Structure formats: structure tokens, C-alpha cells
Amino acid sequence: MNTLVPIWLAIAAVPVLLALGFSLGKSSDDHVGRIPKPVELLTSVILVVVALALWLVYAQATALQEVAFALALGMIAGFVGDLIMAKVVPTPNRLIFGILAFGVGHALYIIGFAATAQALGLTTPLALWPLWVGGLILAAALWRGMAYSATAPSVLNIGSLLYAALIAVMTAAGVGLAVQEARFVLTALGGVLFLLSDLILANREFRGAHWPFVNDVVWVTYIVGQALIVLTTVYALPLAL
């Protein structure tokens, strides 16, 4: 679909910016990252613009308006979370408020995936209960192995566990679309990458894992996951026209 050229160009700019940021950026003193924070936030802004364009321009004449709207709001919530985690927006506790912002985003993504199924006549992914039950069990196991810390405040341990459960349901909803329609495999992959990114982030924050370029790995897996989720509207467009 040629009309989507601006969207694809914007998406293509994300890996270009990340590659330039990594190659030209200066490694931090502890060697955990090279990509400058402004470059990271710029890639998040691009995805906000893409999500809004998909809602305001590309999905207006289709049954996907509600889908694109929910995904755009979810991406905006994610961007707010990015600003909180980067300390651009000051909060009493960046981790707790970051979890809240991203949690809102995941809830909106779940709504968007359910709306996608409704618009295309698919079974709502939340009805495919073995997927999200399996996702919850896997996320809990990964959280215990990577995020739980006996030295962290209990509110953070509980909050991060509930957050992992929410991501698991979001990811399972994406998988629920993919098992019914192959074009949504990238949506499911986006959820998996988002979950992986947050587990690595929790491992860094709660357990002090500071291996080389961990910050860059967290951001790249996160932003690619966000991009694949936001593009769900694009995957669905041929089926909705």
C-alpha cells in the first residue's frame, strides 16, 4: 500500500538513529550503554507520531479506528513512561510511576488487540485462555529468576510481579491474534520483545546486573517491541478494506 510510505520511512528512521547513536555515542563510564538518551527518546517520539498518524489518517475509513486509537494511546502512555524513567518528568519514585505508566499502556494494547479481533471477525484473544494462563506462568517464572530481589522493598517486588503479569496477558493477546491470522506474528513478537526488555531492565534495577551495553539492549528490544505492536493497525488494514 503506497499510501503507507511515510509510515515505513518513519519506522526505518528508528534503526538508523539507534545505529548512529551507538556508533557515534560515547560509552558511559561503567560501559553499560552508548546510545545517548536524547536519541532514545527521539525514537519513542517517532513511534508516537506513527501511532497517531495511523489513527488520524490511515484507519479513519475502516473498521480499525478503535484499534488505532487504543494503540496510539498505549504508545503515548509508553512515552510518558520513557520520560519518567529518563527522569525528564520528576516523580517521587521513577520505578513505581514508570510501572504505572507502562501498565496503562499494556492495558490499552490489550484493548486494541481485542478490538482488532472484533473488527476482523476473529475470536477475541482473551477467550483463548490457555495462552494467557501459560503466559502468566512463564512470566512468573522469569520474574522469579530475573527480577525478584530479597533486598528490594516489597512494594517494588509486588509491583514488578503484577506488571510482569500484565505484560504476559498483553503478549498472550498478541499471540492469540497470530495463531488465528499469520500477519499478526509480528504483533506477538513485539509483545515478547517488550517482556524481554522489561525483565532485563528489572534484572538491572533490582539485582544490579550491569553487563556491557545492558542499557542499549534494554532500549533496542523495547523500542523494536513497541514498533511491532504499534504497526498492528498496518497488518490489519488489508483485511479491513
Side-chain angles (χ1 to χ4, degrees):
M1 301 179 66
N2 330 351
T3 55
L4 289 172
V5 167
I7 294 296
W8 294 123
L9 289 175
I11 291 295
V14 171
V16 171
L17 286 170
L18 293 175
L20 287 173
F22 185 83
S23 60
L24 300 178
K26 181 182 178 183
S27 180
S28 60
D29 293 338
D30 49 3
H31 306 293
V32 295
R34 291 179 59 93
I35 302 173
K37 187 58 64 178
V39 173
E40 291 180 346
L41 292 177
L42 178 57
T43 59
S44 190
V45 169
I46 289 173
L47 293 187
V48 169
V49 172
V50 165
L52 287 172
L54 287 171
W55 170 51
L56 292 171
V57 180
Y58 297 97
Q60 283 302 305
T62 72
L64 300 175
Q65 292 181 42
E66 183 180 342
V67 172
F69 183 58
L71 296 181
L73 289 180
M75 185 61 227
I76 290 170
F79 179 58
V80 172
D82 296 336
L83 295 176
I84 291 171
M85 294 300 291
K87 300 180 181 178
V88 175
V89 174
T91 59
N93 186 305
R94 63 186 263 279
L95 288 177
I96 292 176
F97 281 84
I99 285 173
L100 290 173
F102 288 118
V104 170
H106 290 308
L108 287 163
Y109 286 156
I110 293 168
I111 292 170
F113 296 162
T116 301
Q118 182 178 13
L120 301 181
L122 303 175
T123 300
T124 177
L126 295 180
L128 305 175
W129 63 267
L131 290 176
W132 58 262
V133 170
L136 286 172
I137 294 171
L138 177 60
L142 291 171
W143 170 85
R144 183 63 180 83
M146 296 180 66
Y148 172 77
S149 172
T151 60
S154 57
V155 65
L156 284 178
N157 275 322
I158 294 171
S160 63
L161 176 59
L162 293 175
Y163 178 64
L166 185 58
I167 302 179
V169 174
M170 183 275 290
T171 302
V175 173
L177 291 176
V179 297
Q180 298 180 78
E181 173 56 60
R183 68 178 58 247
F184 295 115
V185 166
L186 292 179
T187 297
L189 178 59
V192 170
L193 288 174
F194 208 140
L195 175 60
L196 176 62
S197 174
D198 278 350
L199 285 170
I200 297 172
L201 175 62
N203 188 245
R204 184 195 73 189
E205 295 287 343
F206 297 159
R207 293 194 176 182
H210 284 78
W211 36 272
F213 308 120
V214 60
N215 290 0
D216 296 333
V217 172
V218 167
W219 188 265
V220 170
T221 51
Y222 160 74
I223 208 67
V224 172
Q226 284 278 44
L228 294 177
I229 290 170
V230 164
L231 288 173
T232 297
T233 305
V234 174
Y235 316 145
L237 275 172
L239 301 176
L241 294 176

